[in-house]
Amino acid sequence: MTKRRRIVLWGAIVFLAWNILTFFVVHRPSTDQQKLEALQSEVQRQMNNNEALLRDLKKQKDLLNRYRTGNAGVQMDQGGRVNHSAHITHRLQSPAGDVVIPVLVIACNRPTVRRSLDLLVKHRPNEHQFPIIVSQDCGHQETSTVIKSYGDKIAHYIQQPDLSDIPVPPNHKRLQGYYKISRHYKWALNQVFNGLGYGSVLIVEDDLDIAPDFFDYFLSTLPLLQQDSSLWCVSAWNDNGKEHMTDTNRQDLLYRTDFFPGLGWMMLKNIWDELEPKWPASFWDDWMRHPDQRKDRACIRPEICRTSTFGRVGVSKGQYFDKHLKFIKLNTKPFDFTHTDLSYLLKDNYDRRFISEVYRSPQLTVKEVIANQHAEHNVVRVQYKTKEEFKGFAKQLGIMDDLKAGVPRAGYHGIVSFMFKGRRVHLSPPADWTQYDPSWS
C-alpha cells in the first residue's frame, strides 16, 4: 500500500468517526455528557495515532532513501538492515576443534591492573578457552602483590627478567620507557608463542577496560585471521570512537582498516614468526604501521570500541589521554557475534560492497557537511586530494588528522568513515586512488 493510499484510508476513518460524533451530538439527550466526552476522547486518540503512523511512514521513507541515494547498490533485508549476504562470494569456515585464545596482559607498575583483571575475569565465558597470562616488567612490588592475589584465576604469571636500563641515543634519554616497553613486548610474546606454545594471542595492557562482548567479538573474528591472508590483526579499538562520531545503535558494525589500531588486539603465531626477528628497539606500534611490516594487510576494527583506557599516567605523560582517549565510547550493549555471519569482512566480499557504498554516495563540501545541508542524504562523501586537504578537513570535522606512512587512523583504502551530526560521512580520496604515499606523515 502506497503512502498516499494510507493517508486517504486514515482520512476516511477520521471523517467517519467525526460523523458518528455529530450524530450523537444531534440525537442523544444532553444529559449523556459523559459518553459524549468519552467518544470525543476516543476520536482524539485515533487522530493522534494517525499522526504517529504518518511520522513512522516518513521515517521508513527516509530509511529507504538512505540506501537508494547514499548506499546505492546495497541491498536490504526485510528488517531494513544492510543485507551483507547479497554481496558474499566467499564464506568463512567454522574453526575445527576447541578454540583457545590466551589473553596476554602487559603490566608494569600500576596496581590499578586490578581494574583490568577484574573485568577480564568477570566477562570471560570460560577460563580454559581464555587463559589469562600476566607478564610484568618493572619489578614493582605493589603491582606484583595485586597480580598474585588472583591465584588460579590467572593461568600464568611471568616476570620480565631483564630490568636494566637500555642504551639510547642522547636525544631519546627521556624516552627510555618506550624502549623498555618494546623489549617487554618481545619477551612476553616469545613466552606465549614459543614458550607456552599457543597459536594466537589477545593482547591487552594494564590500563584497559573491556566491553561485555569483548571475548565474543574476538572469538568470532578469529576465523577471519585464520582464513584471510590479507588480514593480520583484529583490534577492539576505533581511533575515532568518540560517542558523537559513532552510530551508537550499531553494535554489530565492523570494518576493515589499513591502520594498525592496537589497544586490545589479536594476532596469530605466523605473524609473530615474521615480526620477531626484526622487532624494533622502541616505538613498536608505529613500527607496525610501516609498509615494510604491514605489507598491504588490514585489521578488523569495530564501530564502537570494545576497549577504553583509564591510564592517564604513563610514558606519554597523559597529554594524549586528556585530549582524546578519555572521550572514547566503550560499548555497553552486548552483541551476539557468535551467531553472526562475518563473511562480509573477507577482502573479496568487503571491498566490492564498501567501495561501491562510498563512491555512490553524494559528494558534498566540508562546509556543506558542517552546515548540515542536503539533510535528505544520510550517507555522504567528502573528497580530499592532498595531505593538506586531508588534515584540514579532518580537523574541521573533528576526527584524528594524523597519518602514519600515509595511512589515516581508522582508514581503509584512504577512506575514513565516521558520524557527523547524525549522518554517515566518508572522508575519501578520488575514486581512482591506488595506494598510500608514505611521505604523507
Side-chain angles (χ1 to χ4, degrees):
M1 182 180 293
T2 66
K3 178 179 177 181
R4 178 177 292 181
R5 289 180 179 177
R6 287 194 182 96
I7 294 174
V8 171
L9 175 60
W10 284 106
I13 293 173
V14 171
F15 179 77
L16 179 61
W18 184 255
N19 278 278
I20 294 173
L21 175 61
T22 303
F23 174 85
F24 273 88
V25 170
V26 174
H27 297 282
R28 296 286 292 180
S30 59
T31 56
D32 204 3
Q33 188 67 26
Q34 289 183 340
K35 291 184 179 181
L36 178 60
E37 291 176 353
L39 184 57
Q40 288 176 322
S41 298
E42 177 63 20
V43 171
Q44 185 63 49
R45 187 182 68 82
Q46 290 293 338
M47 294 176 68
N48 292 339
N49 288 344
N50 294 342
E51 291 176 0
L53 177 62
L54 291 175
R55 287 195 299 270
D56 185 62
L57 289 172
K58 184 178 183 301
K59 289 180 181 179
Q60 293 298 324
K61 180 181 178 181
D62 290 343
L63 180 64
L64 184 60
N65 285 337
R66 171 181 176 179
Y67 287 99
R68 283 179 174 170
T69 60
N71 285 6
V74 177
Q75 297 184 27
M76 294 186 296
D77 61 22
Q78 292 181 350
R81 301 179 77 85
V82 176
N83 180 12
H84 295 299
S85 63
H87 302 266
I88 289 175
T89 57
H90 298 85
R91 291 282 179 184
L92 279 177
Q93 302 298 315
S94 299
D98 295 332
V99 176
V100 176
I101 307 175
V103 182
L104 175 62
V105 181
I106 300 292
C108 182
N109 59 356
R110 290 187 179 117
T112 51
V113 68
R114 181 182 300 279
R115 176 168 163 175
S116 295
L117 291 173
D118 282 349
L119 288 174
L120 289 169
V121 171
K122 175 183 177 180
H123 291 312
R124 68 174 171 178
N126 187 311
E127 65 183 46
H128 300 293
Q129 190 170 44
F130 294 99
I132 297 173
I133 304 166
V134 181
S135 181
Q136 186 190 3
D137 198 2
C138 308
H140 190 254
Q141 186 55 50
E142 186 179 354
T143 302
S144 177
T145 300
V146 170
I147 296 168
K148 290 177 180 177
S149 71
Y150 284 82
D152 60 6
K153 294 178 182 177
I154 294 174
H156 301 280
Y157 171 37
I158 56 179
Q159 293 175 289
Q160 209 281 107
D162 185 0
L163 304 182
S164 64
D165 284 341
I166 301 172
V168 301
N171 60 335
H172 279 195
K173 285 185 178 180
R174 295 184 178 181
L175 304 175
Q176 175 84 213
Y178 291 101
Y179 285 79
K180 290 186 175 182
I181 288 172
S182 189
R183 177 177 66 184
H184 184 196
Y185 263 84
K186 181 176 183 179
W187 180 85
L189 288 168
N190 268 328
Q191 298 306 306
V192 171
F193 287 123
N194 301 321
L196 298 172
Y198 288 107
S200 62
V201 67
L202 173 48
I203 304 160
V204 298
E205 296 187 354
D206 58 359
D207 61 347
L208 290 183
D209 288 333
I210 65 168
D213 55 358
F214 174 86
F215 289 102
D216 188 70
Y217 169 68
F218 282 104
L219 180 64
S220 301
T221 51
L222 178 63
L224 289 166
L225 283 185
Q226 295 171 329
Q227 298 172 43
D228 187 345
S229 61
S230 70
L231 293 171
W232 71 322
C233 88
V234 175
S235 173
W237 187 257
N238 173 8
D239 277 293
N240 293 311
K242 297 176 183 178
E243 186 165 8
H244 65 282
M245 294 179 184
T246 58
D247 186 340
T248 55
N249 294 317
R250 293 300 305 274
Q251 288 78 19
D252 64 306
L253 188 55
L254 306 181
Y255 295 84
R256 294 173 67 101
T257 176
D258 296 320
F259 191 90
F260 172 74
L263 291 171
W265 59 287
M266 177 172 63
M267 71 171 170
L268 303 180
K269 184 180 186 301
N270 67 300
I271 298 296
W272 179 243
D273 290 341
E274 172 191 326
L275 299 177
E276 190 272 339
K278 54 179 181 176
W279 191 254
S282 63
F283 306 106
W284 67 270
D285 48 351
D286 282 344
W287 176 83
M288 292 274 287
R289 293 162 184 148
H290 192 275
D292 290 348
Q293 281 63 252
R294 192 174 66 82
K295 296 181 178 179
D296 292 326
R297 292 174 293 197
C299 297
I300 301 298
R301 65 132 177 126
E303 169 80 355
I304 308 173
C305 289
R306 264 55 185 193
T307 56
S308 64
T309 179
F310 57 87
R312 185 182 186 280
V313 178
V315 292
S316 65
K317 308 302 181 186
Q319 297 175 0
Y320 189 51
F321 180 88
D322 288 337
K323 292 181 179 179
H324 177 64
L325 296 177
K326 71 178 183 180
F327 300 108
I328 295 296
K329 166 71 174 177
L330 180 68
N331 183 54
T332 56
K333 299 177 182 178
F335 180 78
D336 184 6
F337 288 105
T338 304
H339 296 96
T340 302
D341 185 359
L342 300 181
S343 299
Y344 74 93
L345 291 164
L346 294 170
K347 181 175 176 60
D348 289 345
N349 300 329
Y350 186 88
D351 286 5
R352 181 168 53 254
R353 177 189 64 83
F354 182 70
I355 301 302
S356 173
E357 172 187 330
V358 170
Y359 289 101
R360 288 176 181 267
S361 58
Q363 182 177 330
L364 304 183
T365 66
V366 171
K367 290 183 179 180
E368 288 174 326
V369 171
I370 292 174
N372 206 28
Q373 296 179 13
H374 306 286
E376 70 273 15
H377 300 302
N378 291 321
V379 181
V380 298
R381 178 168 63 92
V382 173
Q383 183 168 289
Y384 67 90
K385 294 182 179 179
T386 66
K387 178 180 76 172
E388 290 71 27
E389 279 189 338
F390 172 82
K391 294 178 76 69
F393 294 166
K395 286 181 179 179
Q396 291 179 66
L397 294 167
I399 65 171
M400 301 292 287
D401 70 325
D402 59 325
L403 302 126
K404 302 292 184 180
V407 183
R409 290 182 183 270
Y412 187 67
H413 286 224
I415 303 161
V416 182
S417 300
F418 57 98
M419 299 297 290
F420 188 87
K421 293 185 177 180
R423 66 175 164 185
R424 176 68 58 187
V425 177
H426 300 295
L427 181 57
S428 62
D432 60 356
W433 180 94
T434 56
Q435 62 184 4
Y436 293 105
D437 183 346
S439 69
W440 288 24
S441 295

